Amino acid sequence: MHIVIMGCGRVGSTLAHILEDSGHSVAIIDRDPQAFRRLRAGFRGRRVTGVGFDRDVLEEAGLATASAFVAVSSGDNSNIISARVARETFGVDNVVARIYDPRRAEVYQRLGIPTVATVRWTADQILRRVLPEGAEPLWRDPTGTVILAEMAFNTGWIGTRTRRVEEATGGRVAFINRMGESLVPKDDTVIQDGDILHVIAAENDMDRINKVLTVAPSESEH
């Protein structure tokens, strides 16, 4: 695939190297030509100087034939405008924009522009490490209504099928980490000692699910 990246900061340059190492062709845009110094000496992709919402710049970067466009500059407005031009003018379906303001991210997500709200994501990652288990999500959708969380559970749930866990909590067991490996549970998958459950559900339902799992299940729930 050919992928166009706007913003040659730490995120943009890292993405460019990863994508190129994966066999994709890459073009990276930045208004500051000095930013391209972050790219390794052997980088084979295009370096395009200019603003990411300028049509001529995007054409030079090969956006007309690109499979994806990623906007990760330091400006929210520039990222959103560029993402909209990529989608609405060039017809690129796979578009992602980095947004620092989580409120803006929610608005643009509803408008059909996938966003990564970096402040909210970073805060979640830090909180996961400093708060008790199950307190913060591993992932949160940009609208903030659905989250994936690592959930603690009472030892009484050991030996219970994940299907019963879902029936009791109303959440979905997305995957289980077992002895360092992840598995997607089936209806007959049984919770074992040492398992780490990852549950996906509506954010406003997580407290209730956590309360259900932190007490032993009744006999009917096994």
Side-chain angles (χ1 to χ4, degrees), residues 135-199:
E136 277 296 312
L138 300 167
W139 171 87
R140 181 193 306 267
D141 88 298
T143 66
T145 57
V146 177
I147 63 176
L148 173 69
E150 179 181 309
M151 303 296 293
F153 59 89
N154 187 285
T155 56
W157 289 96
I158 295 173
T160 303
R161 294 184 180 184
T162 53
R163 175 165 52 86
R164 297 300 184 192
V165 173
E166 293 179 344
E167 291 173 354
T169 63
R172 177 65 59 86
V173 180
F175 67 96
I176 297 173
N177 186 274
R178 178 173 292 169
M179 299 180 66
E181 296 186 356
S182 295
L183 62 92
V184 177
K186 301 178 180 178
D187 281 348
D188 59 352
T189 299
V190 174
I191 297 175
Q192 298 181 10
D193 188 16
D195 280 357
I196 300 174
L197 295 185
H198 296 83
V199 175

Side-chain angles (χ1 to χ4, degrees), residues 6-81:
M6 188 193 83
C8 194
R10 286 174 291 183
V11 174
S13 58
T14 298
L15 282 172
H17 294 150
I18 292 172
L19 289 167
E20 187 174 74
D21 289 343
S22 298
H24 303 292
S25 67
V26 179
I28 189 161
I29 301 167
D30 203 288
R31 67 174 65 201
D32 181 6
Q34 299 301 314
F36 298 128
R37 292 183 177 182
R38 294 188 175 91
L39 298 170
R40 62 194 175 199
F43 179 70
R44 300 184 301 277
R46 304 180 202 174
R47 301 169 175 84
V48 181
T49 302
V51 294
F53 46 84
D54 182 281
R55 182 165 183 159
D56 291 338
V57 169
L58 293 171
E59 287 180 348
E60 184 181 349
L63 189 61
T65 59
S67 299
F69 176 78
V70 181
V72 288
S73 76
S74 59
D76 283 6
N77 290 336
S78 296
N79 289 341
I80 281 299
I81 294 171

Side-chain angles (χ1 to χ4, degrees), residues 114-133:
T115 59
V116 178
T118 54
V119 173
R120 175 72 256 188
W121 183 87
T122 302
D124 283 346
Q125 296 301 303
I126 293 171
L127 289 169
R128 278 185 54 218
R129 288 162 174 78
V130 300
L131 293 180
E133 54 189 1

